Amino acid sequence: MNEQKAPEQQGCLQHAGRIAGIVVLAIVTIVCFVALVTREPLYRRWAPEGERPVPDARVIEALNSTGKGDTSGGEESTATEEDPAAAGQNPTTTEADPATTEEETMAGKLTLTVDGAAFAVTLEDTAAARELAARLPLTLAMSELNGNEKYAYLDDPLPTAASRPETIHAGDVMLFGDSCLVLFYETFQTSYSYTPVGHVDDPSGLAEALGSGDVTVSWS
C-alpha cells in the first residue's frame, strides 16, 4: 500500500514545484515591470537609506548643466514673445491708405469762389456730398431764383437722401431732386425736401458776392 502512495506523493511534489516556479516567475516579472516604470535601479530602491550609492559628482554637474540649458532656452522663448513696446521697439503700425485719406479730406471741406470772394464750406456726411467732392473742381453757371437762392443743374445725378428741413439757413448748400445743386443766401421757411450737401462756415458777405442775378461760382 505504501508503494501505491509513493507515486501519488511524487506527483503532488512535482505539481507544487511547478506552481512555485510560476509564482517566482510572476514576482520577478512584476519587480522588473516596476523597475522599468519608475526608471530607478532596484539596488537603489531596496538598499537601506544609509547604504544607497551616491551619484558621481560629474553626473550631478552634467545634470545641472542640462537644467541650466533648458532654463536659458525657456528665457529665450519668453523674450521672443515679448511685447515689442515693452522691449523698447516700435510696434508695427498700419499706414493709412493715401486714397482714403484724400477722400476723407475732400468730403470734409471745399471752397466756393464768387467774383474773387472765397467762402469755406463744410460738407455734410452724405453720399451726395462725397460724390460732389469727388467731382471737384467745378465751375457752374448758377441762376437766380426767388431772391434767396442760386441753382445749377449738374451733368450727372448725385445720390439722394431727401428730407424736409423746414428752415433754410443762409449758406446752406442743398440738392433738389438728384441733379439740381442749390446755394441759399437767405434764411426762410420751406415746405420742400432737399438732400443736405454742406453749409458755408461764415455766410456774411455771401449775398452781396452773389448779387441779384445769375452768377458763375467755382467749387474746389
Side-chain angles (χ1 to χ4, degrees), residues 26-117:
I27 293 174
V28 171
T29 302
I30 293 173
V31 170
C32 292
F33 176 78
V34 171
L36 179 63
V37 172
T38 59
R39 295 186 179 181
E40 182 177 1
L42 295 180
Y43 69 85
R44 182 176 298 179
R45 174 179 290 276
W46 291 337
E49 186 66 27
E51 298 178 6
R52 292 187 182 183
V54 179
D56 187 79
R58 290 173 294 179
V59 176
I60 296 176
E61 182 178 357
L63 291 175
N64 290 337
S65 299
T66 304
K68 292 179 181 179
D70 293 342
T71 302
S72 61
E75 292 175 353
E76 290 177 1
S77 176
T78 303
T80 302
E81 298 176 357
E82 188 176 2
D83 187 357
Q89 301 175 358
N90 293 328
T92 303
T93 57
T94 303
E95 295 182 1
D97 186 356
T100 303
T101 304
E102 181 179 358
E103 180 180 350
E104 292 174 352
T105 302
M106 291 173 62
K109 287 283 188 179
L110 63 80
T111 300
L112 63 87
T113 305
V114 184
D115 195 21

Side-chain angles (χ1 to χ4, degrees), residues 93-167:
T93 57
T94 303
E95 295 182 1
D97 186 356
T100 303
T101 304
E102 181 179 358
E103 180 180 350
E104 292 174 352
T105 302
M106 291 173 62
K109 287 283 188 179
L110 63 80
T111 300
L112 63 87
T113 305
V114 184
D115 195 21
F119 298 88
V121 177
T122 298
L123 296 179
E124 299 287 348
D125 185 17
T126 60
R130 289 188 287 272
E131 178 63 26
L132 178 66
R135 299 181 187 181
L136 299 181
L138 289 174
T139 299
L140 301 176
M142 307 194 73
S143 302
E144 165 65 27
L145 182 65
N146 298 329
N148 55 32
E149 67 181 71
K150 307 292 184 183
Y151 72 93
Y153 283 94
L154 303 173
D155 294 335
D156 297 307
L158 295 174
T160 61
S163 61
R164 182 179 172 183
E166 295 185 358
T167 301

